[in-house]
Amino acid sequence: MNDQQLPTLALTLGDVAGIGPEITVRTLLDHPDLRTVCKPVVIGDAAALRKAAEVLGRSPDSVRVVDSPEAATGDPALVEVIQDGPDLGDVPYGELDPRAGDAAARFVMTACALAREGRVAGIVTAPLNKAAMHAGGHNWPGHTELLAHEFGVKNFSLVLSAGELYFFHLTTHVSLRDAIAGVTPERTDSVLRLVGSFARALGRPDEAIGLAGLNPHAGENRLFGDEDADVLAPAVERARAAGINAVGPLPADALIPAAVKGKWKFVVVCYHDQGHAPFKAVYGDDGVNITVGLPVVRVSVDHGTAFDIAGKGIAREASLVLATRRAAELAPAWHEVWATARAGEVS
């Protein structure tokens, strides 16, 4: 693949009080092989990146400001950044700062605008701090909801991925009470369609999709709730009638260990911790977070801002490297996933 064919990826810097600048510098300077699969350009703050470079013992001159994605050269010796907003070099590490929270949200908004204009093929996000983002005036539950708003989409899913394993979520950043209410026939149908389109985009249209039960033992024949029988099971039947190889609902405590052992590649869970807790316990830095249902691929690290170690030069970049690589891999076939999401928009 020549340089003209490489997807341009916008890497948003995240909260500059956290480890985002450090892991971005390490990702772009220590992994030159990434330039063989994509052309990365950071949306963020040059001063924060130069400060991080000095923390890591690198030359601040390796940070180069460009005025557009098209101006990025893909030079593996450079961190090329589009300056977005005021200089943030004086934001202290490890402290909640509204300026950093505002900037983290703004970096994402700028990346989305570039994607809407067709100037980047994907977005890779370093972590933001939700409390700082709220303090900065952006009241979104997290990255996923902000991205969905910026692209004007309703049919989307947060997906955790490690290797060939993908965990889709029916609900994410809501209370457990609201998550139960959010497991509706419409939402279940739309996510199963998304998984089916995602499987096709990966060239695996017949791969089985395991749907986790909402209740213990998937309801145990209504002993522990009716949602599995009344909502999830009919959705599986509808998906199968549409040619999607869905199976379930299955007890989560059986489905997820089997998926970790390789029996399942595509898993749908009902709420945030049903997926996140076991996934992070097993995969740690080896996982990434994908948003399926946007017009361009978006992949994120699967960790937070780590204020406790920010500025110490010890943060590991493995998840950001993996996120960048995964975004580059998925970008060329993303149109099929987007077409399904757009067709399945629900209110």
Side-chain angles (χ1 to χ4, degrees), residues 104-105 108-109 128 133 140 142-151:
V108 174
M109 295 174 188
L128 57 72
M133 180 173 65
W140 299 104
H143 259 132
T144 304
E145 295 80 6
L146 171 57
L147 285 153
H149 173 266
E150 288 299 302
F151 286 112

Side-chain angles (χ1 to χ4, degrees), residues 6-25:
L6 293 178
T8 298
L9 301 180
L11 277 62
T12 61
L13 194 55
D15 191 307
V16 300
I19 62 173
E22 293 167 73
I23 62 174
T24 299
V25 168

Side-chain angles (χ1 to χ4, degrees), residues 180-231:
I180 294 169
V183 177
T184 63
E186 296 81 9
R187 175 63 178 164
T188 310
D189 286 346
S190 69
V191 171
L192 288 175
R193 286 195 299 267
L194 281 179
V195 185
S197 69
F198 188 72
R200 288 194 299 273
L202 294 182
R204 288 148 55 182
D206 299 323
E207 190 78 42
I209 300 163
L211 173 61
L214 173 65
N215 296 299
H217 302 180
E220 190 79 52
N221 294 317
R222 299 185 185 274
L223 289 177
F224 308 130
D226 297 325
E227 294 88 354
D228 296 276
D230 292 345
V231 177

Side-chain angles (χ1 to χ4, degrees), residues 89-157:
D90 62 341
V91 171
Y93 285 123
E95 297 180 17
L96 193 151
D97 193 307
R99 294 173 297 168
D102 170 55
R106 191 175 62 247
F107 300 157
V108 174
M109 295 174 188
T110 297
C112 291
L114 292 170
R116 291 195 300 268
E117 295 166 2
R119 299 170 70 188
V120 299
I123 299 171
V124 180
T125 55
L128 57 72
N129 182 284
K130 295 178 181 64
M133 180 173 65
H134 290 182
H138 306 281
N139 295 317
W140 299 104
H143 259 132
T144 304
E145 295 80 6
L146 171 57
L147 285 153
H149 173 266
E150 288 299 302
F151 286 112
V153 302
K154 297 177 182 177
N155 186 24
F156 60 93
S157 177

